[in-house]
Amino acid sequence: MRKKIVAGNWKMNKTPAEAAALAQLLKPKMENDKAEVVFCVPYVDLIPVAEVIKGTNIRLGAENLHFEDKGAYTGEISAPMLKEIGVECVVIGHSERREYFAETDETVNKKVKKALEYGLTPIMCCGESLAEREDGITIEKIRIQIKKGMKGLTAEQAKQVVIAYEPIWAIGTGKVATTEQAQEVCAAVRGVLGELFGSDAAQEISILYGGSVNAGNAAQLFKMPDIDGGLVGGASLKEEFEAIVKSY
Ligand code: 13P
């Protein structure tokens, strides 16, 4: 059975004190024995949030990392730094990082490998723009992102990766993909994973949907056969996140 995961991506929200308060508010509401719950939070919030969620089922995630261990990379944070403070997961290649911070499939690939080297679970993002969907090239785009992002991994390594399919046009817009659209692309992701790593490995990889997930649509999305949970932005900062987590 594939792992079911509901991950919150807090993006660039919450100061350390606010983050600790939000984690405290959500903590008693996150119990779930069917799905893993992850809080992916800004770097400076990691330590205070780690303190709050200690001893619970909530796992700690970062939103990015650098692909080298250390060195002259001003402003960056490495995998061993994250590992040491108890981070277990890391979002890699979010469309916002690709768009605003020039991340490419090549840097995504390096970051995925570095995360795996340190035993961090990469949550590798993919997704098409509205123009790509309208041009009918959604599946091609996703296949390229998966192939390049996971280039050089063994099947054993691939099984440690979590994929998040996030159509860019659905992020923060309130325009959620229909369950059929989301399922179609997640099934295609599993298809390409099968070509690359074999169908047994592909069956074990969790694929999340992200983009305007909320308390009203989560249960329908999570029921789809190739959707194994969600990567939730805005709604993960509110008490509403409880209902999303409990959609499993
Ligand atoms: P929203 O849930 O706010 O649309 O954000 C989705 C997302 O980008 C999660 O990584």
Side-chain angles (χ1 to χ4, degrees), residues 37-38 48 53 55 65 74 80 85 96 100-101 106 125 131 149 159 162 178 191 195 198 228 236 239:
V37 179
V38 189
I53 64 177
L65 84 173
T74 302
I85 59 169
E96 288 151 14
Y100 306 128
F101 302 100
E106 288 69 32
C125 302
K159 286 195 260 179
V162 172
T178 65
E195 291 167 28
D228 305 308
S236 72
E239 285 181 77

mmCIF file of all heavy atoms in Angstrom, residues 37-38 48 53 55 65 74 80 85 96 100-101 106 125 131 149 159 162 178 191 195 198 228 236 239:
data_model
loop_
_atom_site.group_PDB
_atom_site.id
_atom_site.type_symbol
_atom_site.label_atom_id
_atom_site.label_comp_id
_atom_site.label_asym_id
_atom_site.label_seq_id
_atom_site.Cartn_x
_atom_site.Cartn_y
_atom_site.Cartn_z
ATOM 1 N N VAL A 37 1.142 13.365 7.980
ATOM 2 C CA VAL A 37 0.929 14.808 7.930
ATOM 3 C C VAL A 37 2.300 15.484 7.974
ATOM 4 O O VAL A 37 3.157 15.108 8.780
ATOM 5 C CB VAL A 37 0.075 15.268 9.132
ATOM 6 C CG1 VAL A 37 -0.123 16.775 9.106
ATOM 7 C CG2 VAL A 37 -1.270 14.545 9.136
ATOM 8 N N VAL A 38 2.505 16.444 7.084
ATOM 9 C CA VAL A 38 3.792 17.141 7.021
ATOM 10 C C VAL A 38 3.557 18.646 7.051
ATOM 11 O O VAL A 38 2.659 19.139 6.362
ATOM 12 C CB VAL A 38 4.568 16.788 5.719
ATOM 13 C CG1 VAL A 38 5.989 17.333 5.778
ATOM 14 C CG2 VAL A 38 4.580 15.291 5.451
ATOM 15 N N PRO A 48 11.613 26.375 15.733
ATOM 16 C CA PRO A 48 10.454 26.526 16.627
ATOM 17 C C PRO A 48 9.314 25.548 16.341
ATOM 18 O O PRO A 48 8.695 25.038 17.269
ATOM 19 C CB PRO A 48 9.999 27.983 16.410
ATOM 20 C CG PRO A 48 10.827 28.542 15.323
ATOM 21 C CD PRO A 48 11.997 27.657 15.103
ATOM 22 N N ILE A 53 6.061 20.308 17.528
ATOM 23 C CA ILE A 53 5.460 19.051 17.033
ATOM 24 C C ILE A 53 6.198 17.807 17.533
ATOM 25 O O ILE A 53 5.825 16.691 17.172
ATOM 26 C CB ILE A 53 5.377 19.033 15.479
ATOM 27 C CG1 ILE A 53 6.772 19.062 14.840
ATOM 28 C CG2 ILE A 53 4.519 20.196 14.981
ATOM 29 C CD1 ILE A 53 6.739 18.982 13.305
ATOM 30 N N GLY A 55 7.253 14.586 19.243
ATOM 31 C CA GLY A 55 6.440 13.547 19.878
ATOM 32 C C GLY A 55 5.068 13.334 19.256
ATOM 33 O O GLY A 55 4.277 12.531 19.735
ATOM 34 N N LEU A 65 16.263 23.363 -0.592
ATOM 35 C CA LEU A 65 17.609 23.119 -0.060
ATOM 36 C C LEU A 65 18.608 23.396 -1.186
ATOM 37 O O LEU A 65 18.198 23.512 -2.353
ATOM 38 C CB LEU A 65 17.765 21.682 0.461
ATOM 39 C CG LEU A 65 18.116 20.559 -0.529
ATOM 40 C CD1 LEU A 65 18.383 19.273 0.215
ATOM 41 C CD2 LEU A 65 17.033 20.333 -1.537
ATOM 42 N N THR A 74 26.283 31.952 -0.723
ATOM 43 C CA THR A 74 25.688 32.904 0.217
ATOM 44 C C THR A 74 24.160 32.826 0.218
ATOM 45 O O THR A 74 23.537 32.872 -0.850
ATOM 46 C CB THR A 74 26.131 34.335 -0.167
ATOM 47 O OG1 THR A 74 27.559 34.367 -0.147
ATOM 48 C CG2 THR A 74 25.582 35.369 0.808
ATOM 49 N N PRO A 80 22.690 18.669 5.031
ATOM 50 C CA PRO A 80 23.107 18.303 6.397
ATOM 51 C C PRO A 80 22.623 19.289 7.460
ATOM 52 O O PRO A 80 22.358 18.886 8.595
ATOM 53 C CB PRO A 80 24.645 18.265 6.317
ATOM 54 C CG PRO A 80 25.016 18.880 5.021
ATOM 55 C CD PRO A 80 23.840 18.743 4.118
ATOM 56 N N ILE A 85 18.628 19.403 12.260
ATOM 57 C CA ILE A 85 17.575 19.982 13.106
ATOM 58 C C ILE A 85 16.273 19.189 13.033
ATOM 59 O O ILE A 85 15.240 19.639 13.523
ATOM 60 C CB ILE A 85 17.323 21.476 12.783
ATOM 61 C CG1 ILE A 85 16.916 21.659 11.314
ATOM 62 C CG2 ILE A 85 18.564 22.313 13.104
ATOM 63 C CD1 ILE A 85 16.397 23.055 11.011
ATOM 64 N N GLU A 96 6.859 27.971 -8.040
ATOM 65 C CA GLU A 96 7.251 29.343 -7.661
ATOM 66 C C GLU A 96 8.769 29.479 -7.660
ATOM 67 O O GLU A 96 9.307 30.536 -8.006
ATOM 68 C CB GLU A 96 6.649 29.687 -6.286
ATOM 69 C CG GLU A 96 5.147 29.889 -6.396
ATOM 70 C CD GLU A 96 4.360 29.553 -5.138
ATOM 71 O OE1 GLU A 96 4.967 29.396 -4.058
ATOM 72 O OE2 GLU A 96 3.125 29.441 -5.245
ATOM 73 N N TYR A 100 10.389 32.165 -10.130
ATOM 74 C CA TYR A 100 11.011 33.374 -9.569
ATOM 75 C C TYR A 100 12.487 33.207 -9.236
ATOM 76 O O TYR A 100 13.181 34.195 -9.010
ATOM 77 C CB TYR A 100 10.286 33.809 -8.283
ATOM 78 C CG TYR A 100 8.801 33.986 -8.435
ATOM 79 C CD1 TYR A 100 7.915 33.353 -7.565
ATOM 80 C CD2 TYR A 100 8.268 34.795 -9.445
ATOM 81 C CE1 TYR A 100 6.542 33.513 -7.700
ATOM 82 C CE2 TYR A 100 6.896 34.951 -9.584
ATOM 83 C CZ TYR A 100 6.038 34.315 -8.709
ATOM 84 O OH TYR A 100 4.683 34.461 -8.841
ATOM 85 N N PHE A 101 12.973 31.987 -9.115
ATOM 86 C CA PHE A 101 14.352 31.774 -8.676
ATOM 87 C C PHE A 101 15.141 30.892 -9.653
ATOM 88 O O PHE A 101 16.120 30.263 -9.267
ATOM 89 C CB PHE A 101 14.369 31.194 -7.246
ATOM 90 C CG PHE A 101 13.647 32.105 -6.277
ATOM 91 C CD1 PHE A 101 12.347 31.827 -5.882
ATOM 92 C CD2 PHE A 101 14.244 33.268 -5.822
ATOM 93 C CE1 PHE A 101 11.653 32.687 -5.025
ATOM 94 C CE2 PHE A 101 13.565 34.130 -4.963
ATOM 95 C CZ PHE A 101 12.265 33.843 -4.561
ATOM 96 N N GLU A 106 17.413 20.580 -14.164
ATOM 97 C CA GLU A 106 18.764 20.122 -13.809
ATOM 98 C C GLU A 106 19.056 20.387 -12.329
ATOM 99 O O GLU A 106 19.592 19.519 -11.633
ATOM 100 C CB GLU A 106 19.824 20.811 -14.688
ATOM 101 C CG GLU A 106 19.846 20.333 -16.141
ATOM 102 C CD GLU A 106 18.610 20.743 -16.963
ATOM 103 O OE1 GLU A 106 18.019 21.825 -16.714
ATOM 104 O OE2 GLU A 106 18.216 19.961 -17.854
ATOM 105 N N CYS A 125 8.135 18.620 -7.250
ATOM 106 C CA CYS A 125 6.943 19.198 -7.880
ATOM 107 C C CYS A 125 7.047 19.227 -9.394
ATOM 108 O O CYS A 125 8.133 19.437 -9.960
ATOM 109 C CB CYS A 125 6.735 20.625 -7.389
ATOM 110 S SG CYS A 125 6.566 20.756 -5.608
ATOM 111 N N ALA A 131 -1.043 28.063 -20.404
ATOM 112 C CA ALA A 131 -0.780 28.059 -21.859
ATOM 113 C C ALA A 131 -0.434 26.644 -22.327
ATOM 114 O O ALA A 131 -0.888 26.202 -23.393
ATOM 115 C CB ALA A 131 0.372 29.016 -22.178
ATOM 116 N N GLY A 149 13.967 15.401 -13.751
ATOM 117 C CA GLY A 149 14.099 15.572 -12.306
ATOM 118 C C GLY A 149 14.585 14.310 -11.621
ATOM 119 O O GLY A 149 15.257 14.364 -10.587
ATOM 120 N N LYS A 159 11.790 5.105 -5.208
ATOM 121 C CA LYS A 159 10.711 4.756 -4.271
ATOM 122 C C LYS A 159 10.678 5.663 -3.041
ATOM 123 O O LYS A 159 9.691 5.713 -2.333
ATOM 124 C CB LYS A 159 10.857 3.302 -3.821
ATOM 125 C CG LYS A 159 10.459 2.293 -4.900
ATOM 126 C CD LYS A 159 10.262 0.922 -4.312
ATOM 127 C CE LYS A 159 11.452 0.042 -4.535
ATOM 128 N NZ LYS A 159 11.344 -1.293 -3.974
ATOM 129 N N VAL A 162 8.619 11.485 -3.328
ATOM 130 C CA VAL A 162 7.186 11.780 -3.423
ATOM 131 C C VAL A 162 7.039 12.800 -4.547
ATOM 132 O O VAL A 162 7.821 13.752 -4.631
ATOM 133 C CB VAL A 162 6.665 12.376 -2.094
ATOM 134 C CG1 VAL A 162 5.227 12.868 -2.229
ATOM 135 C CG2 VAL A 162 6.786 11.347 -0.957
ATOM 136 N N THR A 178 -10.238 19.670 -12.001
ATOM 137 C CA THR A 178 -11.311 18.704 -11.718
ATOM 138 C C THR A 178 -10.653 17.401 -11.272
ATOM 139 O O THR A 178 -9.472 17.155 -11.559
ATOM 140 C CB THR A 178 -12.165 18.423 -12.970
ATOM 141 O OG1 THR A 178 -11.321 17.787 -13.945
ATOM 142 C CG2 THR A 178 -12.753 19.705 -13.548
ATOM 143 N N GLY A 191 2.631 6.440 -14.946
ATOM 144 C CA GLY A 191 3.033 5.757 -16.175
ATOM 145 C C GLY A 191 4.500 5.989 -16.497
ATOM 146 O O GLY A 191 5.240 5.039 -16.780
ATOM 147 N N GLU A 195 7.794 3.434 -16.649
ATOM 148 C CA GLU A 195 8.749 3.273 -17.763
ATOM 149 C C GLU A 195 10.180 3.410 -17.253
ATOM 150 O O GLU A 195 11.089 2.719 -17.708
ATOM 151 C CB GLU A 195 8.517 4.354 -18.825
ATOM 152 C CG GLU A 195 7.219 4.191 -19.592
ATOM 153 C CD GLU A 195 6.886 5.457 -20.389
ATOM 154 O OE1 GLU A 195 7.817 6.194 -20.784
ATOM 155 O OE2 GLU A 195 5.680 5.715 -20.606
ATOM 156 N N GLY A 198 10.205 0.741 -13.518
ATOM 157 C CA GLY A 198 9.459 -0.517 -13.425
ATOM 158 C C GLY A 198 8.132 -0.286 -12.719
ATOM 159 O O GLY A 198 8.017 0.603 -11.880
ATOM 160 N N ASP A 228 -2.509 10.260 -4.095
ATOM 161 C CA ASP A 228 -2.188 9.695 -2.772
ATOM 162 C C ASP A 228 -2.116 10.775 -1.696
ATOM 163 O O ASP A 228 -1.455 10.582 -0.677
ATOM 164 C CB ASP A 228 -0.855 8.948 -2.851
ATOM 165 C CG ASP A 228 -0.872 7.893 -3.947
ATOM 166 O OD1 ASP A 228 -1.806 7.071 -3.946
ATOM 167 O OD2 ASP A 228 0.014 7.907 -4.831
ATOM 168 N N SER A 236 -3.483 25.385 4.324
ATOM 169 C CA SER A 236 -2.689 24.723 5.375
ATOM 170 C C SER A 236 -2.341 25.707 6.493
ATOM 171 O O SER A 236 -1.806 25.319 7.529
ATOM 172 C CB SER A 236 -1.405 24.114 4.805
ATOM 173 O OG SER A 236 -0.470 25.122 4.451
ATOM 174 N N GLU A 239 -7.297 26.734 10.253
ATOM 175 C CA GLU A 239 -7.879 25.573 10.946
ATOM 176 C C GLU A 239 -8.534 24.607 9.959
ATOM 177 O O GLU A 239 -8.699 23.429 10.251
ATOM 178 C CB GLU A 239 -8.881 26.032 11.996
ATOM 179 C CG GLU A 239 -8.170 26.602 13.213
ATOM 180 C CD GLU A 239 -9.125 27.043 14.296
ATOM 181 O OE1 GLU A 239 -9.649 26.175 14.999
ATOM 182 O OE2 GLU A 239 -9.344 28.262 14.407
#
